[in-house]
Amino acid sequence: MSTTYPATAPPVLRKEDPLALYWNEKVSSLATIEQFHFSEEEKERHRIYSLALMKLVWNYWNGNRKGMIGEYFWREKQQWRPFKGLYRCHAVANDNDAEPPVRDYLGHNIAALAVDGDGDIIDFEFNHNIVFSSSVEHAESRLIRRIFSLTLLDDGWNLATKPNPTAPATFLDNVTLYTSLEPCAQCAGIMTLAGVKEVVYLQKDFGTYCISNILYNLTTFKQQDPNLPPPKPIAAPRPIPACDFELPHYQKLNEGYAAFFASVQEKPFWKDGTASDKAQSVVSFLCTDNAYEIYADAVSKFNNLALSYKNFVPPPIGENPPKPLSNKEALEGARAFLATAIGKARRGTPHRL
């Protein structure tokens, strides 16, 4: 037998519980968080990791969501010119190839990377729903599981405190996750359980219904009664849209997807006579020439990035704080990481060599 609650009685045990505070408020108040005001030095630091992520996506670019052969009305620039109807699987394909290299589907152009408390990149992951015939193999959730598989190794990652050899897991409260697309309910939930500090996203996903904001507001418990025991020490990561630190590609991607969403009904993504070709999916948009060129611009920006605050080091936080890299060291580390991730690694496999 199900239980229903009247609108005036939220299902909580503490009157100060955030759910009680929001119960009679408008949805907009729960789904909105205030813009975080970063210093110019902090903005530059976030842009380093964001552009690094975009370069990673571009170098593993796959526009072949429907296969290598067909008519892609939104991907004309990604064709092999000598081979009409054949399309690039990733950005490094050569138009002058005598024969197009055989490529399989590589996964969606959605990825995430994690940065530890020092400013070192831990690892990366991509969305691999199709590869693994699963709807839950999202980049962020795959990456969190991968980090947890490393927490009991004495490998030098500053995940939070030194891993406890008797503990089943390590709280990731010094980890920042950078993701190319706003997290869904699954990924936001996994990051909450993992205790991830913050999640930075480079494009809005309107299909997630602001779930990251909602979880953050509902789990940011503000204790108002000193006589009550402290709340459970778990909170959703603070969601940070890339516009908060002035990454121009955030707006470009959002505007590009809005245009795709409005036009794909008349101009299908791929011509094969099925309704799915007209689906207004952000995954399809992330195969288009527009998205490809936005990411290519980010690669150029990263490759030529000149720092204005190269000696900036974030202030230490906590009792046993990490020793953060300077912005210059963070950029050098990101470039070294990408050299390995692009030169030696593969998608969907253990790849931090």
Side-chain angles (χ1 to χ4, degrees), residues 35 55 59 90 92 105 149 161 268 288 348:
Q35 178 182 356
K55 180 172 180 176
N59 275 273
H90 59 78
V92 298
Y105 178 80
S149 74
T161 57
T288 65

Side-chain angles (χ1 to χ4, degrees), residues 113-124:
L113 58 81
V115 178
D116 70 15
D118 290 332
D120 287 311
I121 299 176
I122 302 172
D123 212 338
F124 72 91

Side-chain angles (χ1 to χ4, degrees), residues 114 140-149 151 159-160 169-177 186-198 215 232-237:
E140 303 96 313
S141 63
R142 287 172 56 80
L143 182 54
I144 291 297
R145 294 197 300 270
R146 177 157 173 75
I147 293 174
F148 275 129
S149 74
T151 54
L159 301 176
T170 298
F171 216 50
L172 309 183
D173 57 354
N174 268 331
V175 170
T176 298
L177 210 72
Q186 174 200 212
C187 296
I190 288 176
M191 284 187 278
T192 299
L193 294 175
V196 171
K197 174 186 174 184
E198 55 195 9
L215 278 177
K232 186 178 180 180
I234 185 170

